[in-house]
Amino acid sequence: MTSHVRHITIDCADPYALGTFWSRVLGAPLASDDFPGDPEALLETPGAAILFVRNDDPKAVKNRVHLDIQPQDRTRDEEVERLLALGATLVGDHRRPDGRGWATLTDLEGNEFCVECSAAERAAPTGSRLPVTADDVTSAVRLSVDALAGATEGWEAPAGTLEWTCWETVEHLSDDLFAYAVQLGPRTPPLDGEVPYRWAPERQGGPYNAVFADRAAGPAGLLATLEASGALLASMARTTPPEVRSYHGFGISDPEGFAAMGVVETLVHTHDVAEGLGLDWAPPAALCDRVLARLFPDAPAGGDRWTVLLWATGRAELPDHPRRTKWRWDGRPPADQTASSAG
């Protein structure tokens, strides 16, 4: 057995204020029991949390350990400008004319950190595809929960063009994320069928689920099941070796493929539910682009990536392309697709 990093701990004069700054930088929440004046503040981020601890000794020299920040859906330079607006200070500009390099900033208490090029900027010169990651699952689910959290009524209305209600559709989405996670769970994942949980509808015409939310818990409880199922899939995608394969009806897939499936389900079913509830919903274009490249390699390369994903899943019109009445993704890893074509 080995150890793992549980917290990255930062000494500071005001844990809550500094934690709030970093919460805005990373888009992650402080722990619900942290308040102004507390001696500690915990920021839950994927991988390892950041713990801010009060220390009255002033910072005197450069940090021996610092954080490197990589923006997800912005360029490096856009992220630098955003962080400066939050109160960061630019103390070292190592950006190069060829677009590479980094910028060194300090936070509210003078702790240095660096902003690197985004993954898209790194991949652009080579034309390589950006992978779909466990963090993408977490991000998609959190965006969905945040978008739907304000709705207290309308959950029995149809979800967009679906025959399911908004409540049933979120249950179905929770069930999808759960089902993708468990496919990677056995020591020898199945290649000929799904892990045999019992899936059944609550009513005729409803979705076939193993996961149902307790109606007595209300919409907040429903969204808790969604967030929990998303966390299960993110954990499995992060910890399962990439060479593992498991069954899916749209192609035997790998951990990245199941993560991408979970992201697509989250984005498009949140669209369905948002239509039923009368809410706005538009996920990040870069996230849509990554799952399109992984699961829909035949999708058009240009145009608004969210609109293209809606078209690919039969939910939108796309100029110069017939509307899809039937659709499916290709869950096979790209290497397996290439080997199959060669064979």
Side-chain angles (χ1 to χ4, degrees):
M1 298 294 289
T2 60
S3 297
H4 67 277
V5 176
R6 184 180 180 195
H7 295 147
I8 298 169
T9 301
I10 298 176
D11 290 345
C12 56
D14 189 336
Y16 187 82
L18 193 59
T20 298
F21 168 83
W22 279 100
S23 175
R24 292 169 178 166
V25 171
L26 301 175
L30 285 175
S32 59
D33 57 353
D34 285 332
F35 299 97
D38 286 354
E40 296 182 355
L42 181 64
L43 184 62
E44 296 285 359
T45 60
I50 304 176
L51 179 64
F52 302 91
V53 178
R54 179 179 296 153
N55 187 326
D56 294 329
D57 295 332
K59 181 179 182 294
V61 297
K62 183 181 183 298
N63 294 42
R64 295 298 297 273
V65 176
H66 68 267
L67 303 179
D68 287 336
I69 305 301
Q70 184 179 59
Q72 298 298 303
D73 297 303
R74 301 181 184 88
T75 67
R76 174 200 60 197
D77 294 348
E78 289 171 341
E79 184 70 345
V80 168
E81 293 304 313
R82 184 181 77 90
L83 300 181
L84 292 176
L86 291 178
T89 302
L90 180 66
V91 296
D93 199 335
H94 307 282
R95 291 174 284 189
R96 302 200 299 260
D98 65 359
R100 306 307 294 271
W102 69 95
T104 302
L105 289 77
T106 57
D107 64 20
L108 302 183
E109 295 200 10
N111 299 298
E112 295 87 3
F113 64 98
C114 294
V115 181
E116 300 181 344
C117 293
S118 68
E121 289 174 298
R122 290 180 178 274
T126 64
S128 58
R129 178 183 69 84
L130 291 178
V132 181
T133 68
D135 288 346
D136 287 330
V137 177
T138 300
S139 176
V141 171
R142 287 180 177 177
L143 288 170
S144 173
V145 169
D146 291 347
L148 302 179
T152 58
E153 299 179 350
W155 287 95
E156 296 309 311
T161 59
L162 303 182
E163 296 181 355
W164 303 331
T165 67
C166 292
W167 180 284
E168 289 174 330
T169 303
V170 174
E171 281 185 328
H172 167 75
L173 173 54
S174 299
D175 188 80
D176 280 338
L177 299 173
F178 168 82
Y180 298 155
V182 299
Q183 281 301 113
L184 299 170
R187 284 178 292 177
T188 303
L191 297 177
D192 57 354
E194 296 171 340
V195 176
Y197 285 88
R198 178 178 176 271
W199 276 275
E202 273 197 329
R203 66 169 183 86
Q204 186 174 0
Y208 277 70
N209 292 356
V211 172
F212 294 93
D214 183 356
R215 294 267 178 172
L222 174 67
L223 295 180
T225 69
L226 173 57
E227 201 158 13
S229 291
L232 287 175
L233 178 57
S235 296
M236 293 306 299
R238 180 174 289 110
T239 58
T240 304
E243 65 272 13
V244 169
R245 300 290 184 269
S246 189
Y247 174 84
H248 185 275
F250 292 176
I252 291 174
S253 197
D254 60 350
E256 186 205 3
F258 282 104
M261 295 176 207
V263 171
V264 170
E265 297 278 13
T266 300
L267 300 186
V268 300
H269 281 315
T270 302
H271 163 78
D272 300 330
V273 176
E275 280 197 338
L277 297 175
L279 301 173
D280 293 329
W281 170 246
L287 181 58
C288 299
D289 191 53
R290 290 194 288 277
V291 294
L292 281 165
R294 176 60 176 84
L295 295 178
F296 300 95
D298 61 337
D304 177 77
R305 306 315 286 160
W306 174 223
T307 302
V308 173
L309 182 57
L310 289 175
W311 169 83
T313 55
R315 288 168 168 82
E317 304 281 351
L318 198 63
D320 302 322
H321 293 82
R323 180 157 184 162
R324 290 187 162 181
T325 56
K326 295 182 179 180
W327 62 272
R328 59 184 292 166
W329 57 58
D330 190 341
R332 297 173 298 165
D336 294 2
Q337 296 177 26
T338 302
S340 176
S341 298

